[in-house]
Amino acid sequence: MEKLTGHWKKLVSDPKFLGAADLEGGPEIGVTVDYVTEEMVKSDRGTAPKTVVHFCEPVKPMVLNVTNSKTIAKLAGSPMVEKWAGTKIQVYFDPKVRFAGDMVGGVRVRPFPPKPELMAGGPVIQCEKCGGQIKPYGKMDAAGMAAYTQKAYGKKLCADCATVAAKEKVQEEGGAGSD
C-alpha cells in the first residue's frame, strides 16, 4: 500500500484538469481560450463526459460548469463555444463555491478581461512577422522566446516564424560561401 501526500482535492479530482487546488492560495491567472472539447473526466463519483476548455498558454485545461460557461460566453460575446477562441479570461480560486450544500471552493472566471500582466507566462507578445501570439517554446517562456528571436533574427518571432527564419539564414549563409 502506498502512502499518499498532497492536497486532498488533487487526489480526488482528475489531475489533467485545472482545479481549485491548483489555484488555492495562489495568484489569479489570465489565459486565452483556444478551443472547447468534450472529454471523459474522473471524479470521486466516477468517470463522465464533460465540456472542457483548453488554453493557448501552458495551463491545464478547465472543466466547464454552467456559471463559468455563462461568464466566458459574455466575455466572448457569443454563447457559441466555437466563437470563444481568442477570448482572454481571468481564473481564480473562489472559497465561496458551493457543491451539494457544502462550501467547497472552486475555480471561477472573472466577469472582465485580465490585465496583460496576469496572463499565464507573462504579457502577450505578438510575432512581428505573422502577428500571432508568441508562446513559450522549450524551456523559454514567451518573453524569452521573443528576446532570443530578436537577437538571432532581428525580430520578435513565434516558433513557426523562427523556424522559417532559421532555414532562410542557413540558406543565405550557405549561398554566400558558394560564390
Side-chain angles (χ1 to χ4, degrees), residues 10-22:
K10 286 188 176 186
L11 299 174
V12 298
S13 301
D14 195 322
K16 297 184 302 186
F17 302 101
L18 185 66
D22 295 311

Side-chain angles (χ1 to χ4, degrees), residues 89-152:
I89 63 172
Q90 185 170 323
V91 294
Y92 68 101
F93 173 75
D94 182 354
K96 297 178 184 172
V97 170
R98 291 183 167 277
F99 182 74
D102 290 332
M103 196 88 71
V104 295
V107 177
R108 285 286 188 242
V109 177
R110 293 275 185 210
F112 49 81
K115 293 178 181 173
E117 61 268 18
L118 289 180
M119 294 302 295
V124 175
I125 305 168
Q126 289 186 314
C127 175
E128 292 179 17
K129 186 171 183 183
C130 71
Q133 179 181 346
I134 297 177
K135 297 180 183 177
Y137 184 79
K139 294 183 179 182
M140 291 182 279
D141 62 8
M145 181 67 175
Y148 170 78
T149 58
Q150 177 73 49
K151 183 177 180 182

Side-chain angles (χ1 to χ4, degrees), residues 42-120:
K42 290 185 256 174
S43 73
D44 57 343
R45 296 179 169 183
T47 302
K50 299 286 183 179
T51 305
V52 176
V53 62
H54 293 259
F55 306 112
C56 296
E57 296 79 10
V59 173
K60 291 192 278 187
M62 180 175 77
V63 177
L64 287 171
N65 59 25
V66 172
T67 301
N68 288 337
S69 296
K70 286 180 179 179
T71 304
I72 296 172
K74 286 180 185 175
L75 289 167
S78 176
M80 309 305 287
V81 297
E82 65 272 18
K83 298 198 177 197
W84 292 2
T87 302
K88 295 183 183 338
I89 63 172
Q90 185 170 323
V91 294
Y92 68 101
F93 173 75
D94 182 354
K96 297 178 184 172
V97 170
R98 291 183 167 277
F99 182 74
D102 290 332
M103 196 88 71
V104 295
V107 177
R108 285 286 188 242
V109 177
R110 293 275 185 210
F112 49 81
K115 293 178 181 173
E117 61 268 18
L118 289 180
M119 294 302 295

